[in-house]
């Protein structure tokens, strides 16, 4: 065999393995239209986010929306996501915690959102439970399962959990205090923390399912999402991930998994699977720890870079 032949075979098998075995991930944003009075105003955030997704060839994401926030600007913001081809879905009317309401109160809030959000052409009957909590009693949990079924809804679970909302609050607080934020360092911090969590939950999935499922990433409709989603997508692709639509992600078998356990706090679908297999620790990764994030933020974004080490 000639040298070039060997090289081509190697290259081909590498490309083939990449195409066949790349891990898959869909992107979703919760809490839209989320309060915007910090770095960006609402319209600028929406414009920036839509452009970043388009520039990075992310065909479709889903916006799990809270209908109570639909003032004029909020409606315009959701309409701009809708018109860019993205999905609008149900995240309740007032973002209640199911642990604190009766089933009837919670159901009414869900139905109110269903009615108000159906004004958008790309509205889908997908429900994302606020705080991922699906009911702290069997009655509530099963009641919501029946209600979703009756109304033709899918439980829009997530597999990849993180505390991006806490990173946003660290960022906004620093902006408010007029601190000089180096946006390159901020982006590297954001991407690094999210990748750490994504890879952790993917390994947990591999451990319990013996495969990497089609993943659903939980993010929030915030300024840092608009600023850095492109960098995150680049990093994912560089590490062999393929971005898929949420529609495609929910065709995974894991969509049919229903935990028997009543959970007051829910770590996401991979965590539910792990609990079913007897795992009790490590369901919440350290990237969901505020202290951990704050320390890293201070070190990696706020501290003066150590120039002697940066060569
Ligand atoms: Zn939420």
């Amino acid at each position: 065999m000639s040298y070039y032949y060997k090289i081509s075979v190697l290259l081909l098998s590498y490309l083939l393995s990449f195409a066949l075995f790349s891990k898959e991930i869909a992107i979703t944003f919760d809490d839209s239209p989320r309060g915007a009075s910090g770095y960006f105003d609402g319209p600028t955030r929406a414009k920036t986010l839509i452009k970043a997704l388009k520039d990075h060839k992310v065909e479709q994401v889903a916006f799990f929306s809270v209908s109570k926030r639909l003032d004029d600007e909020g409606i315009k913001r959701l309409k701009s996501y809708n018109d860019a081809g993205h999905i609008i879905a149900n995240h309740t009317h007032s973002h209640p915690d199911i642990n604190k309401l009766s089933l009837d109160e919670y159901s009414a809030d869900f139905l109110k959102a269903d009615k108000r959000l159906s004004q958008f052409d790309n509205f889908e009957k997908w429900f994302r439970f606020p705080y991922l909590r699906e009911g702290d009693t069997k009655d509530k949990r099963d009641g919501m399962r029946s209600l979703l079924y009756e109304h033709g809804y899918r439980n829009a679970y997530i597999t990849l959990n993180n505390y991006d909302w806490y990173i946003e609050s660290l960022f906004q607080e620093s902006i408010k205090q007029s601190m000089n934020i180096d946006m390159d360092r901020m982006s590297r911090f954001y991407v690094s923390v999210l990748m750490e969590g994504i890879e952790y939950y993917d390994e947990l999935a591999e451990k319990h399912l013996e495969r990497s499922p089609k993943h659903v990433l939980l993010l929030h409709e915030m300024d840092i999402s608009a600023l850095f989603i492109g960098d995150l997508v680049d990093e994912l692709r560089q590490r062999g991930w393929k971005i898929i639509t949420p529609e495609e992600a929910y065709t995974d078998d894991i969509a049919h998994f229903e935990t028997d356990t009543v959970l007051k706090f829910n770590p996401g679908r991979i965590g539910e699977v792990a609990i079913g297999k007897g795992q009790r620790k490590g369901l919440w990764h350290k990237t969901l720890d505020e202290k951990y994030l704050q320390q890293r933020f201070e070190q990696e974004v706020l501290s003066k870079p150590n120039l002697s080490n940066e060569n």
Side-chain angles (χ1 to χ4, degrees):
M1 275 194 289
S2 80
Y3 174 75
Y4 288 108
Y5 179 77
K6 271 192 223 165
I7 290 288
S8 336
V9 169
L10 266 176
L11 192 67
L12 197 68
S13 58
Y14 170 75
L15 289 173
L16 209 63
S17 71
F18 196 75
L20 291 174
F21 303 113
S22 64
K23 294 166 185 281
E24 297 175 301
I25 185 171
I27 299 169
T28 67
F29 298 96
D30 279 14
D31 299 1
S32 46
R34 197 176 190 269
S37 53
Y39 190 80
F40 288 140
D41 60 18
T44 312
R45 176 192 293 166
K47 223 170 102 185
T48 310
L49 182 51
I50 289 167
K51 184 175 186 307
L53 292 168
K54 189 163 182 252
D55 288 350
H56 290 81
K57 301 193 167 39
V58 177
E59 185 193 333
Q60 189 172 71
V61 300
F63 288 91
F64 290 91
S65 305
V66 174
S67 58
K68 197 180 177 180
R69 301 195 186 138
L70 289 181
D71 56 9
D72 286 350
E73 188 272 319
I75 291 174
K76 272 189 202 145
R77 215 189 308 169
L78 289 200
K79 191 159 183 315
S80 68
Y81 296 135
N82 177 92
D83 293 351
H86 302 300
I87 286 165
I88 307 297
N90 189 337
H91 193 43
T92 71
H93 177 66
S94 66
H95 207 275
D97 178 350
I98 196 168
N99 294 353
K100 293 179 183 156
L101 294 190
S102 70
L103 176 60
D104 283 349
E105 289 165 330
Y106 195 82
S107 303
D109 201 79
F110 157 81
L111 288 170
K112 209 170 183 178
D114 176 70
K115 212 169 175 183
R116 296 205 181 173
L117 292 168
S118 65
Q119 66 179 288
F120 299 99
D121 298 340
N122 284 354
F123 172 70
E124 291 281 357
K125 292 190 166 197
W126 297 357
F127 184 56
R128 168 82 39 88
F129 284 92
Y131 314 100
L132 309 178
R133 295 173 191 166
E134 303 191 5
D136 55 337
T137 65
K138 195 169 178 306
D139 280 353
K140 280 196 223 173
R141 188 200 64 188
D142 294 348
M144 277 312 292
R145 281 182 183 173
S146 306
L147 190 71
L148 293 185
Y149 182 76
E150 280 161 29
H151 288 269
Y153 263 80
R154 131 186 311 158
N155 176 340
Y157 63 87
I158 60 100
T159 63
L160 302 169
N161 200 354
N162 60 72
Y163 269 18
D164 68 333
W165 52 270
Y166 187 69
I167 301 177
E168 169 86 359
S169 72
L170 293 170
F171 172 74
Q172 297 286 2
E173 190 52 39
S174 308
I175 296 290
K176 215 193 283 173
Q177 291 176 22
S178 322
M179 291 168 109
N180 221 346
I181 297 273
D182 179 328
M183 295 303 260
D184 288 337
R185 294 177 85 199
M186 184 64 214
S187 168
R188 279 200 297 275
F189 166 68
Y190 173 81
V191 171
S192 155
V193 167
L194 283 177
M195 287 308 305
E196 200 183 351
I198 288 167
E199 287 176 343
Y200 178 80
Y201 282 107
D202 186 50
E203 276 168 28
L204 199 61
E206 293 262 17
K207 183 177 161 195
H208 292 297
L209 300 169
E210 286 166 13
R211 68 187 180 91
S212 176
K214 294 177 193 293
H215 282 287
V216 180
L217 174 65
L218 167 64
L219 295 175
H220 291 83
E221 193 247 8
M222 307 178 304
D223 292 348
I224 56 166
S225 315
L227 286 164
F228 308 125
I229 188 67
D231 296 336
L232 180 65
V233 164
D234 285 345
E235 184 65 21
L236 280 162
R237 289 194 176 122
Q238 203 146 21
R239 295 200 200 181
W241 289 78
K242 184 182 170 203
I243 314 293
I244 57 173
T245 63
E247 182 97 60
E248 166 73 16
Y250 288 128
T251 64
D252 194 281
D253 269 352
I254 204 175
H256 305 298
F257 178 86
E258 277 195 339
T259 179
D260 297 327
T261 319
V262 174
L263 297 167
K264 190 169 183 185
F265 306 107
N266 192 314
R269 183 63 48 106
I270 306 294
E272 289 178 338
V273 172
I275 289 167
K277 302 263 182 172
Q279 180 168 338
R280 291 294 176 271
K281 284 183 179 166
L283 300 167
W284 278 267
H285 184 240
K286 66 181 172 192
T287 50
L288 289 91
D289 180 286
E290 295 176 14
K291 224 181 226 159
Y292 173 78
L293 293 172
Q294 190 171 351
Q295 272 170 3
R296 280 194 58 178
F297 177 72
E298 279 167 13
Q299 202 169 358
E300 294 169 39
V301 182
L302 297 186
S303 75
K304 287 213 164 58
N306 188 345
L307 291 172
S308 61
N309 284 342
E310 293 229 332
N311 280 314

